Amino acid sequence: MVEVEPSAQPWYHDIKMFLKIKEYPEQASGDQKRTIRRITDGFFLSGEVLCKRTPDLNLLRCVEAQEAGRIMHEVHAGVCGPHMNGHVLAKKILRAGYYWMTMERDCFSFVWKCHQ
């Protein structure tokens, strides 16, 4: 599951900082810097909102851990239809326009813990 870090930085902090000011984290090694450069190709910064580009040029809003939990709960048991399996849940969240790195794994874990 997406976990809240004690540092209160979202999972996309390094990506956002690189796109914004072209600056790497202080402790980043050469491999980590190359990975950040490679990953940022798929992201887009619109003001203060980080978005992920899809192959069909749609933009998905990147969300933090707390918001990801609320989105999973709402889509799974809320207005988006009946309870569903993890794969369908992840696809519905993507269609709704949200993204986080561990989305599929989190959705499968969330559905597995659902009592209904």
Side-chain angles (χ1 to χ4, degrees), residues 15 28 33 46 77-78 81-82 85 89 94 102 107-108:
I15 297 169
K33 289 178 181 179
S46 175
N85 66 30
L89 178 60
L94 285 171
T102 58
C107 288
F108 279 100

Side-chain angles (χ1 to χ4, degrees), residues 88-105:
V88 174
L89 178 60
K91 295 300 178 193
K92 280 197 173 198
I93 292 171
L94 285 171
R95 278 194 305 259
Y98 299 104
Y99 177 79
W100 63 94
M101 289 284 227
T102 58
M103 179 185 294
E104 279 199 25
R105 184 178 61 199

